[in-house]
Amino acid sequence: MSDKKLLLIDIDGTLVDYENNLPASAVEAIHQAQANGHKVYACTGRSKAENAQEIWDIGLDGMIGGNGNYIESGETVVFHQLISLEEEKRVVDWLNARGLCFYLESNNGLFASKTFAKDALPACKAYASGKGATQEELDAMGDSTALFHGMIEGGELYRDDVNKISFVLKSYQDHLDSAAEFPDLKAGTWGGKGEHALFGDLGVKDITKAFAVGKLCDYLGWDIADTIAFGDAKVDIPMFECCGASCCMGSGGDEAKEAADFVTTDVDDDGLMNAFKHFGLI
């Protein structure tokens, strides 16, 4: 094993807090770790277009996006698996027929359905509340699209550049039905802190963060035993299981905490900095 580590950091709830704020201590910890010879990659459910400029300004060594369907190292795209245009059209038609508002997650942007701005507002307010928004902030939310960086209204919805499709659940049955209707895709749910099932999503099947970590290690010639995963949610557990060591944020979900080797402090209580210190990275 090497004393240099490959660090895989989830974004929502790990790198940034539940109000999407980036703690200065997290940036400092990353820069110190890189100065010590470690490599740092984001490993997130986000598509590339969802990252605000402050994430890119950190100077990460690369990113895994779409929960594993996109891998970028430096300027090189190592891997990118999209939903086929034929399957994407079927999903869009099914969601429209069912009256479910949705958005398409692409590296070129987030493309919202016509009714998303209005119809998704209750779910988006619940999501924002779970991430710590005050009642005043919730009352000021007049448009659900403001919650998502890179969201575009009125764009083409039949697309061949889609990583994943998210939609507002009217009930949990919508998720179950989507899984039955599209067996060739991976069906999931998400909803922020506590992992409430507010949204369903459909992505490329048999691809996880763990799959992508293995691909990245192969590309870099890195021993997977020299990797450390940092996350906060159930979707991070496969990454915890494949990496040499793992850490869950104190503000994370109970299942993720149980699966991790170490639980640090909350994301907004210097969680990443304290975790890096624990693992001797800085």
Side-chain angles (χ1 to χ4, degrees):
M1 292 178 65
S2 168
D3 59 348
K4 304 305 180 187
K5 303 299 179 184
L6 177 63
L7 312 180
L8 291 310
I9 305 175
D10 172 56
I11 294 182
D12 293 291
T14 304
L15 180 59
V16 301
D17 67 16
Y18 291 117
E19 293 179 283
N20 213 36
N21 298 310
L22 176 62
S25 62
V27 178
E28 181 183 351
I30 289 170
H31 289 167
Q32 287 185 27
Q34 289 174 317
N36 288 339
H38 307 293
K39 289 188 176 293
V40 184
Y41 287 73
C43 191
T44 175
R46 294 186 182 191
S47 293
K48 187 173 181 178
E50 294 179 66
N51 291 327
Q53 188 59 44
E54 65 176 354
I55 300 295
W56 300 117
D57 288 344
I58 296 172
L60 299 172
D61 294 290
M63 74 168 289
I64 291 170
N67 285 330
N69 80 327
Y70 177 77
I71 306 171
E72 179 179 284
S73 183
E75 300 296 318
T76 302
V77 176
V78 177
F79 177 81
H80 196 186
Q81 181 67 55
L82 297 163
I83 298 175
S84 71
L85 177 59
E86 179 183 7
E87 192 81 298
E88 190 268 356
K89 286 181 176 180
R90 287 188 60 234
V91 175
V92 168
D93 291 344
W94 185 83
L95 291 169
N96 281 329
R98 203 173 176 102
L100 300 175
C101 56
F102 62 92
Y103 65 95
L104 312 174
E105 302 182 37
S106 161
N107 284 3
N108 296 312
L110 306 183
F111 299 91
S113 60
K114 292 180 180 178
T115 62
F116 189 87
K118 175 177 70 72
D119 291 350
L121 191 56
C124 289
K125 283 188 174 183
Y127 178 70
S129 177
K131 292 176 71 173
T134 64
Q135 188 59 49
E136 184 179 3
E137 289 170 330
L138 295 176
D139 291 341
M141 279 184 64
D143 185 336
S144 60
T145 61
L147 193 65
F148 301 94
H149 179 79
M151 182 161 276
I152 299 165
E153 290 185 278
E156 175 58 55
L157 297 181
Y158 286 164
R159 309 188 61 87
D160 62 1
D161 62 351
V162 174
N163 299 318
K164 192 171 60 169
I165 301 170
S166 286
F167 55 96
V168 175
L169 296 170
K170 290 182 179 178
S171 73
Y172 193 75
Q173 190 62 44
D174 292 324
H175 158 62
L176 297 177
D177 290 349
S178 74
E181 184 72 20
F182 303 102
D184 293 332
L185 296 176
K186 180 175 65 177
T189 65
W190 57 277
K193 189 174 183 179
E195 300 191 56
H196 302 301
L198 297 171
F199 294 82
D201 63 25
L202 291 163
V204 179
K205 198 167 187 175
D206 299 325
I207 288 182
T208 65
K209 290 185 177 184
F211 166 87
V213 170
K215 280 266 188 189
L216 178 61
C217 286
D218 288 344
Y219 171 77
L220 295 173
W222 203 281
D223 187 341
I224 201 165
D226 293 320
T227 59
I228 306 177
F230 300 83
D232 73 308
K234 189 161 56 178
V235 71
D236 297 314
I237 293 175
M239 178 172 67
F240 289 176
E241 293 173 343
C242 84
C243 287
S246 59
C247 172
C248 184
M249 309 307 288
S251 39
D254 289 339
E255 287 184 64
K257 288 179 180 177
E258 291 174 7
D261 297 319
F262 174 70
V263 178
T264 185
T265 52
D266 287 5
V267 60
D268 53 3
D269 186 23
D270 299 330
L272 209 58
M273 173 73 82
N274 291 332
F276 279 27
K277 289 178 179 178
H278 169 81
F279 286 109
L281 303 169
I282 57 177

